[in-house]
Amino acid sequence: MTGPVGTVPHPPRAWRLLPSGGYAGRAHLLLERSATASRRSWLVFLSGFFEPVFYLLAMGQGLGSLVGELPGPDGAPIGYAAFIAPGLLAASAMNGAVFDSTFNVFFKLKYAKLYDAMLATPLGAVDVALGEIGWALVRGGLYAVGFLLVMAGFGLLGTPWALLALPAALLVALAFAAVGMAATSFMRSWQDFDLVTLVTVPMFLFSTTFYPLSVYPGWLQVVVECLPLYHAVELMRGLTTGAVSLALLGHVAYFLVMAVLGGAVAARRLEALLLR
Amino acid sequence: MAGEADRATGRVPGPWGGVALVVENHWEWYRRNWRATAVSTVVQPLLFVLAFGVGFGALVRGSGQVAAATGGVDYLVWIAPGLLAMSAVQTGAFDSTYPVLSGFKWQRTYTAMTAGPITPGQVALGHLGWLAVKTAGAGLVCAAVIALLGGVAGPGILLAVLVSVLTGAAVAAPITAYSATLETEGASFPAIFRFVVIPMTLFSGTFFPVDRLPELVRPLVGVSPLWHGTELARAAALGGPWPPWPAVLGHVAYLLALLGVGTVLAVRTFTRRLAR
Amino acid sequence: MADGLVQARGLTKRFGRVEAVRGIDLDVGRGEVFGFLGPNGAGKSSAMRMIACVSPRSAGDLQVLGMDPDRDGPAIRSRIGVVPQLDNLDLELSVRQNLHLYGRYFGLSRSAVRAKAVELLEFARLTERAEDEVEPLSGGMKRRLTIARALVNDPELLLLDEPTTGLDPQARHLVWERLYRLKREGVTQIITTHYMDEAEQLCDRLVVMDGGVIVAEGAPHELIGRYSTREVLELRFEPEHRPSGDVLSGVLAGRVERVEELPDRLLVYTADGEAAQAAVTAAGHRPLAALVRRSSLEDVFLRLTGRTLVD
């Protein structure tokens, strides 16, 4: 018999704060795993890109024919497709991140028992969490690039600020993934995932994705303004239409706070999530 | 001591009696677990009614472009039958994917049913029959809520619910047949939703008349069962104007043909899988 | 025990108020095949998960490969191999990719993993199926793949939780043969099982667990010698003609050590089964069936706990 060939990982110093054995500095291997798995189911991977594109084609042209133009973020009128496209970009960032951090994580955890297999290796719970969130970002980032190219093709991007929509989409996805992961740690069965649908679908429909805030009565406007997707939509709309103001930093701050809070809860619950 | 033949208490049900037993079985399960699906079958369509019928409807109220598209009817009244049909299709499609696979693979309820006198064909018919019952119930609840919101023009909405049930079943049958052939864990389902179901819901005249679609796409609309269902449901709900009678017959015939072929295939694939 | 690969003192695992493992002591030496024997719920799997450094201990001391799992979990896990009770293969990957990716988790280079996978596919007799999906493989093939996967880092210690549960006899024998090969290569193994034949076949030494504690410890033949008789006479009767254990003990006074009553049969522990059977018949009892066999670990467990192992 030869000696063991597995190498002992040396976690970076900062992670010493976490429960020991939680981080082996190998989160990138989960990306490798997800990329390999995606290559085997490339059609499903590709389909994620088309969902917002179908919405843009149908709603932009179809509903647009009923609406004409709408006031943009700075009051200047813009076409309906230009109005909803950034909303769809934001919603797609949310939906992808939430799906990956809730349904996907729960399935791999409870049914595929994938994390049990990983945690029997030198990998720790933090590697798993970072790897899964990282993959959600890689995938979301690719979809966002694709969607921005489609927007450019339709002439819906007329400003260099639109380049910032990509990092903005990543930030939005990160915040939703962190909160989603934290929420998943409290899930007990599939029935609980109805709550996820119950949160994401209304947000998708009502966060000024399809029409401006002014449609709502005053009290409802305040409620909508609290929703995270509203801030994502406004952020994207400001960047893709070039109506950039300091207010956009407020939206960015919203997601930074959300990512930190979600991440803190997820980190604290990670042991409960992955180790029994 | 009684003879062997007298001892067993099981009886063979009649051909439709077996189907009814399968429907009853689904109902018993549903009674205990209805909350699990109430969100997707009732709450979600109502959210779409609120978002598009009420919210978007408020945005475009009084505009000439809308009157031209809806024939002068209020947008909420116009979209309501379309959303009923769309919701039936979504429920029919979803419930014919993972739940069917689960009956064969995960929970094996179909295997358990056919261990007795019930035949695989009866299980397939019972599944579709149950879906019809469920979409009818959900459709009636939704129609009642839409009526409260002022979106119902007359008793024709009941006929629209019936058409929705037919449309949902016509989509469900071939998907059920396909699901019964899968040996995988259902990895291809997301691609079906995104490449078939979602485009169908967006390009079938639910949200806007199909003549607003690009010339290129319009010929494809005739393939969509949801378009045929929406044309009928909308004419029924608004009390007209009906398309010329050959067109009406064509819509009905298309849906019945799809349902018929799908059902035959489903019975065949169920039999092949369960009786092997 | 300086050479001990696993050393536990008062090892305890609590889940809320339930104590799954209640203070056990263990010493597993290098090259040894060590068994945990016990019924479902005895605490075997919990003990294994603590040794595998995936479940923190609630109390007691534990050293694996001379290190503390609480502090050196990743270092320990990089040198052991784990075969869990239920196969948790990656169904989204092919057979070969399962071995590749798993090896990468151990920090092995891509080229090292590629070479190792070829060797392990051969070991698991899956070379032909290397590019296939995992899902359609038979239960025995999946089990062999899981075992092969656990060997990707050439572990010093292999943990196997119920390695052959749910396999058909042929598949079980193939797994046993592979495990025996590993033993000859000097790989230390810890195995949990509730199969007596498996424990007797594979283990050099074992502990019998019940209710979270160790009730006996030793080599299989030692335990049989210590807690059972040479032979066992199994008797089945028509329910209405079945004599009680006490009646049989009376009939066989002096000839038997003890009589166990099970729901479907009586077990007579004796040095000479044939003679005991003759005595029962001579006393006018007419069993439907009688069988004389050698004692097994099943009898040890029955003696120690008063219960059968697989209910």
Side-chain angles (χ1 to χ4, degrees):
Chain A
M1 188 189 108
T2 53
V5 292
T7 53
V8 182
H10 294 285
R13 198 165 285 277
W15 291 100
R16 301 271 163 85
L17 297 170
L18 283 155
S20 66
Y23 186 54
R26 286 187 190 153
H28 63 280
L29 291 175
L30 271 94
L31 298 187
E32 197 174 318
R33 185 244 156 226
S34 295
T36 310
S38 295
R39 269 207 297 281
R40 294 178 68 84
S41 54
W42 59 271
L43 189 66
V44 173
F45 186 88
L46 195 68
S47 69
F49 158 74
F50 280 99
E51 188 169 337
V53 174
F54 286 143
Y55 263 93
L56 180 61
L57 289 178
M59 301 306 203
Q61 175 135 3
L63 285 187
S65 76
L66 308 181
V67 179
E69 293 193 321
L70 283 174
D74 54 2
I78 55 175
Y80 189 67
F83 182 84
I84 61 167
L88 293 171
L89 178 60
S92 142
M94 169 187 82
N95 283 332
V98 168
F99 186 84
D100 275 339
S101 62
T102 58
F103 294 91
N104 261 350
V105 165
F106 193 75
F107 179 81
K108 290 178 187 168
L109 181 74
K110 296 267 172 169
Y111 291 88
K113 303 278 178 203
L114 211 55
Y115 302 140
D116 280 0
M118 291 177 181
L119 294 174
T121 75
L123 296 186
V126 176
D127 294 279
V128 171
L130 287 181
E132 291 294 23
I133 290 181
W135 177 247
L137 293 185
V138 169
R139 174 146 75 167
L142 287 173
Y143 289 161
V145 168
F147 192 76
L148 284 167
L149 288 176
V150 170
M151 283 177 72
F154 281 104
L156 300 175
L157 298 179
T159 160
W161 286 107
L163 288 175
L164 288 179
L166 177 60
L170 290 176
L171 174 64
V172 169
L174 173 68
F176 275 107
V179 170
M181 188 83 80
T184 305
S185 75
F186 292 96
M187 303 275 180
R188 287 289 160 262
S189 77
W190 287 115
Q191 314 245 357
D192 293 336
F193 284 93
D194 267 11
L195 298 173
V196 177
T197 316
L198 217 47
V199 171
T200 53
V201 171
M203 264 210 279
F204 170 59
L205 292 173
F206 298 109
S207 298
T208 72
T209 322
F210 295 104
Y211 42 81
L213 196 61
S214 57
V215 163
Y216 299 112
W219 63 272
L220 205 50
Q221 292 189 6
V222 176
V223 174
V224 171
E225 279 171 333
C226 294
L227 300 177
L229 188 59
Y230 166 78
H231 293 275
V233 173
E234 291 300 308
L235 176 59
M236 298 298 177
R237 198 167 277 150
L239 290 172
T240 59
T241 58
V244 175
S245 70
L246 279 179
L248 295 192
L249 289 178
H251 301 311
V252 171
Y254 186 103
F255 287 105
L256 288 175
V257 171
M258 187 171 153
V260 167
L261 287 181
V265 175
R268 182 159 299 190
R269 296 276 310 169
L270 210 51
E271 305 268 310
L273 181 66
L274 298 174
L275 298 180
R276 275 155 297 162
Chain B
M1 207 178 194
E4 291 298 317
D6 296 329
R7 183 183 159 77
T9 54
R11 294 287 176 266
V12 179
W16 294 108
V19 176
L21 288 175
V22 176
V23 173
E24 182 185 324
N25 192 301
H26 280 290
W27 165 245
E28 286 299 329
W29 182 89
Y30 186 76
R31 275 191 346 152
R32 296 181 63 85
N33 300 284
W34 62 273
R35 275 183 205 86
T37 52
V39 170
S40 55
T41 54
V42 176
V43 177
Q44 196 162 314
L46 288 176
L47 288 171
F48 270 81
V49 169
L50 285 177
F52 287 99
V54 179
F56 188 81
L59 179 72
V60 296
R61 176 156 302 138
S63 98
Q65 288 152 311
V66 172
T70 65
V73 184
D74 186 63
Y75 187 69
L76 172 62
V77 177
W78 187 85
I79 199 176
L83 289 174
L84 287 178
M86 174 181 121
S87 169
V89 163
Q90 281 174 333
T91 302
F94 185 83
D95 281 17
S96 301
T97 54
Y98 295 103
V100 168
L101 206 52
S102 175
F104 290 113
K105 279 194 79 127
W106 302 322
Q107 303 199 27
R108 297 176 206 278
T109 40
Y110 296 163
T111 319
M113 285 178 193
T114 49
I118 290 177
T119 67
Q122 287 168 331
V123 173
L125 294 175
H127 164 73
L128 293 174
W130 163 246
L131 272 184
V133 172
K134 185 172 154 184
T135 47
L140 289 174
V141 172
C142 288
V145 177
I146 294 169
L148 290 178
L149 293 169
V152 169
I157 194 83
L158 294 177
L159 186 56
V161 170
L162 194 66
V163 171
S164 303
V165 173
L166 172 63
T167 314
V171 172
I175 297 183
T176 300
Y178 168 73
S179 297
T181 64
L182 289 183
E183 299 290 342
T184 61
E185 304 286 300
S188 55
F189 288 146
I192 291 190
F193 294 129
R194 285 170 177 156
F195 284 130
V196 179
V197 180
I198 288 181
M200 203 185 343
T201 58
L202 290 172
F203 295 100
S204 295
T206 312
F207 298 93
F208 51 84
V210 288
D211 59 21
R212 308 303 163 97
L213 288 170
E215 294 280 359
L216 268 174
V217 188
R218 241 178 281 164
L220 291 175
V221 167
V223 181
S224 161
L226 180 55
W227 174 68
H228 295 278
T230 304
E231 289 291 293
L232 293 174
R234 185 161 286 143
L238 302 182
W242 288 85
W245 68 265
V248 172
L249 278 186
H251 294 316
V252 175
Y254 186 84
L255 293 174
L256 286 178
L258 191 58
L259 176 62
V261 171
T263 305
V264 169
L265 287 175
V267 168
R268 213 177 272 178
T269 52
F270 269 57
T271 306
R272 199 172 301 152
R273 182 151 188 174
L274 288 168
R276 66 184 175 190
Chain C
M1 227 194 197
D3 200 30
L5 243 56
V6 177
Q7 202 169 52
R9 293 291 175 269
L11 184 60
T12 300
K13 180 73 192 182
R14 279 185 287 268
F15 296 101
R17 309 173 87 183
V18 182
E19 227 173 17
V21 179
R22 297 158 56 185
I24 61 173
D25 296 348
L26 295 171
D27 291 287
V28 181
R30 196 173 282 278
E32 194 175 19
V33 177
F34 182 88
F36 282 104
L37 185 68
N40 293 330
K44 296 169 299 181
S45 291
S46 298
M48 285 289 257
R49 289 173 51 82
M50 287 189 279
I51 297 170
C53 313
V54 290
S55 168
R57 62 183 183 268
S58 308
D61 286 322
L62 177 62
Q63 294 240 309
V64 182
L65 302 167
M67 292 178 277
D68 178 351
D70 279 357
R71 214 186 46 238
D72 308 311
I76 298 171
R77 292 200 300 268
S78 70
R79 289 165 59 188
I80 65 177
V82 176
V83 177
Q85 197 173 66
L86 300 172
D87 292 319
N88 52 16
L89 296 162
D90 195 327
L91 300 183
E92 292 180 78
L93 303 177
S94 72
V95 169
R96 189 192 300 276
Q97 284 171 339
N98 260 279
L99 297 172
H100 278 187
L101 265 301
Y102 204 74
R104 296 279 293 143
Y105 299 152
F106 286 88
L108 305 183
S109 74
R110 284 196 179 79
S111 60
V113 160
R114 255 197 302 277
K116 193 71 193 169
V118 172
E119 174 194 331
L120 290 173
L121 285 167
E122 199 59 43
F123 172 86
R125 303 223 297 192
L126 287 169
T127 307
E128 243 89 288
R129 309 292 300 263
E131 314 311 326
D132 287 9
E133 301 269 338
V134 170
E135 180 55 18
L137 298 184
S138 73
M141 290 178 180
K142 282 185 191 156
R143 207 63 188 142
R144 290 192 324 258
L145 180 56
T146 306
I147 293 172
R149 190 184 66 173
L151 299 172
V152 75
N153 60 329
D154 291 307
E156 291 167 68
L157 171 65
L158 186 59
L159 305 176
L160 300 121
D161 199 353
E162 312 250 355
T164 65
T165 297
L167 298 189
D168 62 44
Q170 220 181 339
R172 292 182 76 196
H173 283 285
L174 187 54
V175 169
W176 286 347
E177 189 268 329
R178 299 285 119 151
L179 294 181
Y180 188 70
R181 263 172 53 173
L182 292 173
K183 174 182 160 63
R184 290 205 354 199
E185 288 170 23
V187 179
T188 311
Q189 300 174 41
I190 302 182
I191 296 174
T192 77
T193 182
H194 56 243
Y195 292 124
M196 301 301 150
D197 50 349
E198 182 158 279
E200 290 178 46
Q201 283 255 353
L202 298 175
C203 298
D204 301 318
R205 204 158 57 85
L206 53 87
V207 291
V208 179
M209 280 191 81
D210 187 43
V213 296
I214 292 174
V215 290
E217 177 175 357
H221 63 91
E222 271 173 36
L223 289 172
I224 293 169
R226 204 181 318 153
Y227 295 103
S228 192
T229 51
R230 203 170 71 84
E231 291 189 336
V232 186
L233 169 63
E234 292 201 10
L235 297 169
R236 285 169 205 272
F237 292 91
E238 291 275 16
E240 58 274 26
H241 298 131
R242 174 175 162 151
S244 74
D246 289 343
V247 168
L248 271 193
S249 299
V251 167
L252 296 165
R255 252 188 249 276
V256 302
E257 202 159 288
R258 99 203 130 83
V259 176
E260 288 279 355
E261 289 189 71
L262 298 180
D264 62 333
R265 59 193 189 226
L266 292 155
L267 301 182
V268 178
Y269 289 93
T270 173
D272 185 346
E274 302 272 342
Q277 188 183 346
V280 168
T281 323
H285 297 291
R286 293 278 173 272
L288 280 175
L291 166 76
V292 176
R293 59 166 175 82
R294 297 178 61 112
S295 266
S296 74
L297 283 172
E298 177 91 46
D299 302 295
V300 171
F301 189 80
L302 189 63
R303 168 71 192 278
L304 288 168
T305 68
R307 289 182 292 114
T308 50
L309 204 57
V310 188
D311 290 322

